Amino acid sequence: MAPRTSPEISGMGHSMKRKEDPRFLRGQGRYVDDIVLPGMVFMDIVRSPFAHAKITKIDTARALKVPGVLAVITGETLAKFNLHWMPTLMSDTQMVLPTEKVMYQAQEVAAVIATDRYAAADGVEAVEVSYDPLPVLVDPFKALEPGAPVLRTDKKGKTDNRIFHWEAGDRQGTDAELAGSEVVVKQDLYIPRIHVSSIETCGCVADFDRAQGKLTVYMTTQAPHAIRTVFALVAGHVGLSEERIRIVSPDIGGGFGGKVPVYPGYVIAVAASVVLGKPVKWIEDRMENLQADSFARDYHISAELGAKRDGTMTALRIKTIADHGYTDAAANPSKFPAGLFSICTGSYQLGHAFAEVDGVYTNKPPGGIAYRCSFRVTEAVHAIERLTDILAHELGMDPAELRFKNFIPPESFPYHSALGWDYDSGNYAAALRKAMDRIGYAELRKEQAEKRARGELMGIGISSFTEIVGAGPSKQFDILGIKMFDSCEIRVHPTGKAIARFGTKSQGQGHETTYAQIVAEELGIPAAHVQVEEGDTDTAPYGLGTYASRSTPVAGAAGAVAARKIRDKARKIAAHLLEVAEEDLVWEPGKFSVKGAPQRSKTIQDIALAAYTNHPQGMEAGLEAVSYYDPPNLTFPFGSYICVVDLDRGTGEVKIRRFVAVDDCGNIINPMIVDGQIHGGLTMGMAPALLEEISYDEDGNIQGGSFMDYLLPTAMETPSWETDKTVTPSPHHPLGAKGVGESATVGAPPAIANAVVDALWHLGVRNIDIPITPEKVWRILHEKGVAE
Ligand code: MCN
Ligand code: CUN
């Protein structure tokens, strides 16, 4: 679709350069650690070497003698104010600092406040903690066995380690359908723990102003308003009521889901600032970030897919054990303990489906947050896309052909899925067809057959995923009871420039640019003259924040609706200025003109001036509007990815030769930014497919707790991504847009895993769990006698 606005206005469809980049590229961004306040002191944290232990003594005497150390805060200190425990976003409870026992390695045990960062670190070294180790549970299956030690002894009456049991769909109907299916493929899949590794770690500056009784917290958060409310609920009893709390989320160096939870460090820093009456800065180091912040994935999936001999899918049954660590600190909407995992029927017409998930406590850091995925969608997509490939191979069908056979057809939208979602729009076959044409699918299959005859290992993997983003409609979606609307407030100034404030918070996605483009599209004010602000709870309208690719579907929609309210008022003013009836005016981006007399017109700038200088009598002056947008549905972006791999028979290395990604996120606001989101997301999808994993030994010691062992992809490992698109607008979004920020991370892993298994299927390999490391492949090559 060609843009409706000129490049000067740069509304939707223009690849306008990012307004925020000049400051980022020049090193002039303002991140939390750039904030320096007068009299500021520093905090560092003592962490547990044990995964499960009783704390018998904390001796702070030596630490307090370290020059520069001002205070040591322990669980006992916080307990005096009843602040040693806090609620999680899933209504579980989490320790701020322990008074009895630690539950995972690297858990916070005490905090040292000092005049500088070095003294704080020396103080941490000098705190003496005595521990009495307790039996450790790292395996969620063992944790569920009868007789397993109960970890959450703080919960009265709790007799096991199960957090929740959740299910969706029709159990009996699915069982019956599977029992009668001509073919059933079954596969266990493990999707390991991984961790987002944003360039910027987490941290805050907590500043309690005793004179005003006001707390300001500059912090790395994706959801400042929700955090303010949580703080008010947690600390209201010590006088911190919500109007006295201001959360500021400054520039953020990557969030990816890891900056949604409330970490103990933030709360301790706030407590320290209240106690000392000084600003307190706390910034995690890289190891703390990797070892103690919330984790993603850790799903043990057992999936079965039934079909007819001709490949028609009949039923899907999935059972999952979800390892949440010692507390359920997932950042899910309240009613969705397993997130949006029930999108697991994917892009296919499946008459029957049933999914169940059991959440389990173990001696690991809190898990269950997302890693660039809308609440467990990655896990769901991995399951269905892997199963689809296994079914194709089992039936001797081409995986593309099997997908075409089962896709929900374009005319069936809105489509009601067996697990209860109403998919808004889609054209799955078009996306897959485009990806196949682009990569030359038929020729690749020929090449593969020739290579295989020569003993070379080449594989082609497809993933035709459906995402579900834009949480969400208030009838189903809330976090701690707060409905998941989002907001925008626009003010047009007398000279026709504007400021637009949103309830979300960019972490690198480019909101300052794309939100300005939305306002430009609707009002015709050049995007260059629309200043976008987010992240300051004292000024921005209340919103639930940026995660789950919800900014465009929810806050972006609020922006369009607020702009349209302004346009309605502008029309009244234009009618007054031109002395015609409102119905006689026609709008084009940037001006109203009189029907049949186009030379008689008023620009939005003329109208803005009049709103302050010459507004109609009886009308309020000014030109501003606010919208709290409650989305009628989620948006369902989708795509088809095809990956070609060559396996090195000497080293087991997986080489991605080509990767074509065709994405569909409906109407696009800024094509360059969307491309950037997809490029970044693909690399971030390759990471768990090939490299990243965090595991624990039997004693709960973390393996992969530093960048020596936790492998992040670099430019060296990243292939040259080939991207393309189809455009299927969302029928319910005011701009027809769907979210896109996470699509690539969701779609990429199964395409890569499917490609590797495709290269090895003829040798009897059905599945390799991600990450598909050279070691795993090398072992298989040796086992099958095909190593070089
Ligand atoms: N966009 C567009 N047209 C569309 C859809 C989106 O131009 N049809 C643009 C948006 O205007 C926005 C960007 O693409 O500038 C992403 O939009 P959206 O899909 O709405 O996602 P959010 O803005 O809500 O971003 C969240 C998403 C998530 S949840 C993760 S995790 C992630 C991601 O974004 N974290 C990121 N991308 C990231 N990119 C960077 N650089 N840093 C992160 O931390
Ligand atoms: Cu899903 S990780 Mo993002 O939602 O912040």
Side-chain angles (χ1 to χ4, degrees):
M1 199 182 76
R4 284 200 315 152
T5 55
S6 64
E8 289 69 47
I9 294 177
S10 271
M12 279 177 73
H14 287 282
S15 284
M16 179 187 187
K17 281 195 183 158
R18 302 203 330 165
K19 294 172 73 169
E20 45 271 85
D21 279 351
R23 81 170 182 278
F24 292 156
L25 292 173
R26 292 179 184 131
Q28 290 165 345
R30 192 163 193 252
Y31 300 90
V32 164
D33 205 19
D34 293 319
I35 288 161
V36 176
L37 299 178
M40 189 170 80
V41 296
F42 297 81
M43 183 173 102
D44 195 9
I45 292 177
V46 180
R47 290 176 185 277
S48 169
F50 294 100
H52 196 196
K54 248 182 114 62
I55 296 174
T56 52
K57 190 172 177 212
I58 300 179
D59 188 343
T60 61
R62 216 160 58 82
L64 286 167
K65 291 202 187 100
V66 171
V69 168
L70 302 170
V72 180
I73 294 176
T74 64
E76 299 299 336
T77 327
L78 297 181
K80 283 183 211 142
F81 306 98
N82 197 25
L83 285 175
H84 54 314
W85 284 85
M86 62 178 178
T88 70
L89 296 177
M90 287 310 282
S91 303
D92 200 340
T93 51
Q94 173 171 9
M95 289 178 232
V96 179
L97 284 173
T99 49
E100 285 168 28
K101 58 177 188 169
V102 286
M103 299 288 275
Y104 62 90
Q105 191 180 54
Q107 185 181 336
E108 299 80 0
V109 174
V112 176
I113 319 293
T115 48
D116 67 71
R117 182 71 178 76
Y118 299 96
D122 289 344
V124 163
E125 291 298 315
V127 174
E128 290 164 292
V129 187
S130 313
Y131 298 93
D132 216 346
L134 294 164
V136 172
L137 277 175
V138 288
D139 179 343
F141 291 93
K142 287 196 179 139
L144 281 179
E145 277 170 12
V150 177
L151 295 180
R152 293 298 299 268
T153 46
D154 58 288
K155 289 181 182 247
K156 288 202 177 54
K158 184 108 186 100
T159 55
D160 62 14
N161 295 311
R162 191 183 313 269
I163 308 172
F164 62 82
H165 174 82
W166 165 90
E167 51 184 64
D170 168 14
R171 185 195 288 267
Q172 276 90 28
T174 304
D175 288 352
E177 191 69 29
L178 277 176
S181 289
E182 292 168 10
V183 196
V184 177
V185 291
K186 181 171 191 297
Q187 186 60 51
D188 290 344
L189 301 160
Y190 176 53
I191 304 186
R193 272 194 171 222
I194 51 174
H195 192 286
V196 298
S197 307
S198 304
I199 294 177
E200 181 200 31
T201 60
C202 293
C204 68
V205 178
D207 180 19
F208 181 69
D209 178 332
R210 279 185 178 162
Q212 291 189 56
K214 179 151 182 174
L215 172 72
T216 303
V217 190
Y218 304 88
M219 67 189 273
T220 47
T221 177
Q222 299 177 221
H225 288 280
I227 296 285
R228 185 185 73 193
T229 303
V230 172
F231 275 13
L233 293 174
V234 172
H237 65 283
V238 295
L240 279 176
S241 57
E242 199 164 0
E243 85 284 8
R244 288 163 188 255
I245 304 173
R246 174 182 174 207
I247 306 293
V248 182
S249 187
D251 284 335
I252 298 282
F256 305 111
K259 287 171 181 160
V260 177
V262 181
Y263 294 121
Y266 298 133
V267 180
I268 308 169
V270 167
S273 181
V274 172
V275 170
L276 295 170
K278 287 175 193 287
V280 176
K281 179 182 276 188
W282 166 66
I283 307 285
E284 279 175 345
D285 69 22
R286 180 57 63 185
M287 305 256 286
E288 294 179 291
N289 177 272
L290 261 179
Q291 295 177 9
D293 284 4
S294 291
F295 289 75
R297 319 279 198 258
D298 220 342
Y299 258 32
H300 298 262
I301 295 174
S302 191
E304 290 157 278
L305 178 62
K308 294 188 192 159
R309 280 249 148 257
D310 70 358
T312 309
M313 293 178 185
T314 51
L316 175 73
R317 182 166 62 200
I318 300 191
K319 192 174 167 53
T320 292
I321 300 296
D323 186 339
H324 277 255
Y326 100 91
T327 180
D328 190 357
N332 291 329
S334 305
K335 295 187 186 62
F336 299 86
L340 306 184
F341 187 71
S342 50
I343 193 70
C344 58
T345 54
S347 308
Y348 311 107
Q349 299 187 81
L350 267 158
H352 297 270
F354 179 71
E356 58 185 322
V357 179
D358 283 282
V360 186
Y361 290 127
T362 57
N363 288 116
K364 298 180 194 169
I369 63 140
Y371 169 116
R372 206 166 183 174
C373 109
S374 178
F375 316 121
R376 304 295 190 181
V377 177
T378 322
E379 289 91 325
V381 165
H382 202 74
I384 184 67
E385 288 304 305
R386 285 289 301 118
L387 266 283
T388 299
D389 253 50
I390 292 172
L391 176 65
H393 282 109
E394 199 80 7
L395 290 169
M397 258 175 101
D398 185 283
E401 194 192 323
L402 180 71
R403 285 180 170 83
F404 283 124
K405 195 173 182 71
N406 288 287
F407 278 149
I408 300 160
E411 61 277 12
S412 295
F413 291 90
Y415 176 81
H416 188 74
S417 81
L419 295 181
W421 298 110
D422 289 301
Y423 294 19
D424 59 347
S425 63
N427 188 346
Y428 303 144
L432 178 54
R433 180 73 57 210
K434 193 161 197 176
M436 289 169 76
D437 290 348
R438 172 87 188 245
I439 207 160
Y441 188 77
E443 298 87 85
L444 283 169
R445 283 286 175 209
K446 260 186 239 141
E447 181 192 338
Q448 182 187 30
E450 288 159 21
K451 290 214 159 129
R452 192 168 286 169
R454 297 200 296 270
E456 290 171 42
L457 299 174
M458 165 188 166
I460 306 164
I462 302 176
S463 155
S464 291
F465 63 94
T466 292
E467 263 250 271
I468 169 169
V469 306
S474 60
K475 56 184 182 295
Q476 282 172 301
F477 285 86
D478 68 82
I479 286 184
L480 293 173
I482 307 166
K483 301 294 187 184
M484 293 183 77
F485 56 84
D486 224 294
S487 60
C488 170
E489 181 210 77
I490 304 172
R491 293 185 191 165
V492 182
H493 310 315
T495 57
K497 317 292 189 278
I499 181 167
R501 294 186 167 117
F502 292 81
T504 48
K505 175 63 207 172
S506 190
Q507 312 124 36
Q509 292 90 344
H511 291 177
E512 285 168 48
T513 310
T514 47
Y515 282 156
Q517 289 184 264
I518 291 176
V519 176
E521 174 77 12
E522 294 298 327
L523 291 180
I525 296 173
H529 291 302
V530 180
Q531 183 198 346
V532 170
E533 265 187 28
E534 299 177 287
D536 183 340
T537 58
D538 267 9
T539 53
Y542 203 101
L544 275 273
T546 290
Y547 41 85
S549 302
R550 63 189 297 281
S551 303
T552 305
V554 193
V561 172
R564 286 173 194 180
K565 289 184 187 174
I566 288 177
R567 206 164 69 202
D568 288 344
K569 182 167 180 184
R571 179 185 286 271
K572 290 190 169 43
I573 298 172
H576 162 73
L577 295 176
L578 292 163
E579 297 177 329
V580 292
E582 280 179 57
E583 304 75 59
D584 293 333
L585 291 172
V586 272
W587 169 256
E588 68 187 90
K591 70 175 176 206
F592 280 106
S593 48
V594 178
K595 246 181 235 167
Q599 72 290 357
R600 291 189 59 210
S601 65
K602 288 290 169 191
T603 65
I604 186 75
Q605 288 78 11
D606 300 333
I607 296 166
L609 187 64
Y612 295 88
T613 58
N614 178 25
H615 58 285
Q617 288 304 302
M619 176 193 272
E620 283 183 21
L623 198 54
E624 62 182 73
V626 59
S627 164
Y628 287 80
Y629 185 78
D630 182 359
N633 190 4
L634 295 120
T635 67
F636 297 75
F638 59 93
S640 268
Y641 294 174
I642 307 183
C643 172
V644 184
V645 299
D646 299 299
L647 305 190
D648 186 320
R649 288 195 294 145
T651 63
E653 193 194 343
V654 175
K655 291 187 187 138
I656 299 180
R657 191 204 309 173
R658 288 189 66 194
F659 195 111
V660 166
V662 173
D663 270 277
D664 192 320
C665 58
N667 291 337
I668 289 178
I669 299 153
N670 183 318
M672 177 196 71
I673 286 182
V674 167
D675 245 16
Q677 286 291 308
I678 291 166
H679 277 246
L682 288 170
T683 300
M684 217 168 154
M686 178 187 74
L690 297 180
L691 304 165
E692 297 178 356
E693 168 161 25
I694 285 187
S695 58
Y696 291 82
D697 72 9
E698 278 184 4
D699 298 322
N701 296 308
I702 189 167
Q703 321 281 299
S706 84
F707 282 165
M708 296 294 283
D709 308 299
Y710 190 73
L711 300 179
L712 288 193
T714 68
M716 289 295 288
E717 290 79 26
T718 305
S720 183
W721 308 113
E722 300 170 59
T723 55
D724 212 329
K725 60 172 175 283
T726 56
V727 176
T728 312
S730 166
H732 62 78
H733 186 278
L735 302 167
K738 303 182 180 185
V740 79
E742 300 159 311
S743 292
T745 322
V746 167
I752 297 170
N754 284 346
V756 178
V757 174
D758 183 60
L760 296 165
W761 183 275
H762 63 291
L763 300 170
V765 176
R766 274 177 73 92
N767 181 53
I768 309 174
D769 277 331
I770 56 170
I772 304 178
T773 58
E775 186 194 337
K776 282 187 193 168
V777 176
W778 186 86
R779 283 182 195 284
I780 291 168
L781 297 174
H782 277 264
E783 202 182 287
K784 304 291 178 190
V786 295
E788 232 167 29

